[in-house]
Amino acid sequence: MRFFLQCLFYYCVTAAVTLVNAKDDSFFTNVGLRDSVSGYAYCRDPSHWFQIDAELFLSEGQDRDVFLSIPREFTGLPTEPFELMHKSQVIGKVMISDDHLVQISFPIPPKENITGNLRFMAKLDPDAVESIEAPRIINYNFYSSQGEHFKEPIRFEPRSLGAVHVDGGMFLHNNTAWFVVDIPVEQLNEPVYVSSDPGAGSPVNQHQIIQGTARCELVTSVDSFHRPRITEPIEPLEDYTSESSVLMKFDHNLDGYYVRILYYTRPRILEFDRPIRAQTAFYKRTVKGLTKYAIYS
């Protein structure tokens, strides 16, 4: 009995000392939310991916876990642990639970005051996307275990019907890509030229278009964000599409909002980490030759 009481006393003293010595003076300095396509806090399609960034000040000796809550509207959060970084140095471990809680732990407490950064992607769940029926500003709230509150607004706005829009993405399982180019009907007074991968450097890095897969649609009705609601297939008057570019001429008397060109590319020969949306340029052919109209990066 005496031995048991001695052990209990030792455990209580040890726990008290551990509690006193535990360090928890860290705090979040910033949380950022931005649309992955625009790169800013405005979004022209609620179904886009969003980028979440957080910056954390870590005090010397921090050994308690730190938490950050993610708004419930987001889904597609990372399911595997990843690292909290300070420049190129790993300083912590990050896990995100099914309860939308980011947990940051420090297996090796920092030996000095430093800052840590983490970044991950997320999407709005289908119900949240469906609820955004018209352009508006929505504030998304992030709360930390340290008491900070970050209110991050996203302005959902319609795309311009007078501007060319380029979008694209990768199929990661085979390193191929898809591209979409939307061209206002008013821009079709001259042939259009879409380069698949301008300025990428070595030709072995370029996307090669899979000939025969390009298709065109005329968008005749749009929603409140000017996304296609009703489309109909159309054929260009002339089509000189090759592995390296799309070159088409359209009837400039089309009755609709814009023409959408969709095409797919072969796998890249070499890895290339630039964003896909930076790989497409739109041109218009003029009497003096091919002149650049717009580049999206």
Side-chain angles (χ1 to χ4, degrees), residues 61 67 76 254 274 294:
F67 298 87
L254 295 172
R274 285 173 55 185

Side-chain angles (χ1 to χ4, degrees), residues 132-143:
I132 306 174
E133 298 178 347
R136 61 189 175 114
I137 296 175
I138 298 179
N139 292 313
Y140 295 98
N141 295 289
F142 297 78
Y143 298 91

Side-chain angles (χ1 to χ4, degrees), residues 6 28 52 70 104 124 142 163 188 229 233 276 296:
Q6 288 177 334
F28 284 90
I52 299 175
I70 305 300
I104 307 173
L124 291 173
F142 297 78
L188 297 177
R229 177 175 284 162
I276 279 298
Y296 295 81

Side-chain angles (χ1 to χ4, degrees), residues 181-196:
V181 183
D182 294 335
I183 307 166
V185 168
E186 63 192 41
Q187 298 280 1
L188 297 177
N189 58 326
E190 296 173 311
V192 297
Y193 174 86
V194 179
S195 175
S196 180

Side-chain angles (χ1 to χ4, degrees), residues 36-254:
S36 65
V37 176
S38 71
Y40 296 96
Y42 68 85
C43 174
R44 293 180 175 139
D45 187 341
S47 62
H48 283 171
W49 283 90
F50 292 86
Q51 178 179 303
I52 299 175
D53 295 278
E55 185 176 78
L56 180 67
F57 169 80
L58 297 176
S59 62
E60 177 186 355
Q62 175 74 30
D63 54 7
R64 284 193 182 180
D65 292 356
V66 176
F67 298 87
L68 179 71
S69 67
I70 305 300
R72 303 293 297 183
E73 298 94 327
F74 287 99
T75 186
L77 299 169
T79 57
E80 298 294 329
F82 58 98
E83 296 167 335
L84 178 70
M85 304 297 295
H86 171 71
K87 298 181 180 179
S88 59
Q89 176 188 0
V90 177
I91 57 175
K93 180 181 178 182
V94 183
M95 297 183 64
I96 303 180
S97 70
D98 294 337
D99 295 324
H100 286 61
L101 201 61
V102 178
Q103 178 182 2
I104 307 173
S105 57
F106 309 96
I108 302 177
K111 298 180 180 180
E112 59 182 352
N113 295 340
I114 56 176
T115 57
N117 297 276
L118 60 95
R119 171 179 295 174
F120 54 91
M121 307 296 287
K123 296 187 72 172
L124 291 173
D125 65 37
D127 290 339
V129 171
E130 190 72 21
S131 69
I132 306 174
E133 298 178 347
R136 61 189 175 114
I137 296 175
I138 298 179
N139 292 313
Y140 295 98
N141 295 289
F142 297 78
Y143 298 91
S144 82
S145 57
Q146 313 305 96
E148 296 90 24
H149 170 213
F150 300 91
K151 183 169 67 174
E152 297 301 311
I154 291 291
R155 186 175 76 251
F156 294 95
E157 61 181 34
R159 53 189 286 180
S160 170
L161 288 174
V164 177
H165 292 272
V166 177
D167 199 2
M170 291 290 296
F171 296 109
L172 297 179
H173 67 285
N174 60 8
N175 207 29
T176 61
W178 58 269
F179 291 92
V180 172
V181 183
D182 294 335
I183 307 166
V185 168
E186 63 192 41
Q187 298 280 1
L188 297 177
N189 58 326
E190 296 173 311
V192 297
Y193 174 86
V194 179
S195 175
S196 180
D197 201 357
S202 171
V204 297
N205 262 334
Q206 292 182 348
H207 291 291
Q208 292 185 336
I209 297 171
I210 303 176
Q211 291 180 270
T213 63
R215 70 178 191 271
C216 304
E217 300 172 346
L218 176 64
V219 177
T220 57
S221 177
V222 296
D223 63 13
S224 59
F225 286 97
H226 298 162
R227 295 171 299 188
R229 177 175 284 162
I230 299 176
T231 65
E232 58 183 62
I234 61 171
E235 296 290 336
L237 297 178
E238 300 177 28
D239 184 0
Y240 303 100
T241 298
S242 66
E243 287 188 342
S244 61
S245 65
V246 175
L247 178 57
M248 296 177 175
K249 181 179 181 180
F250 293 90
D251 182 354
H252 63 274
N253 293 315
L254 295 172

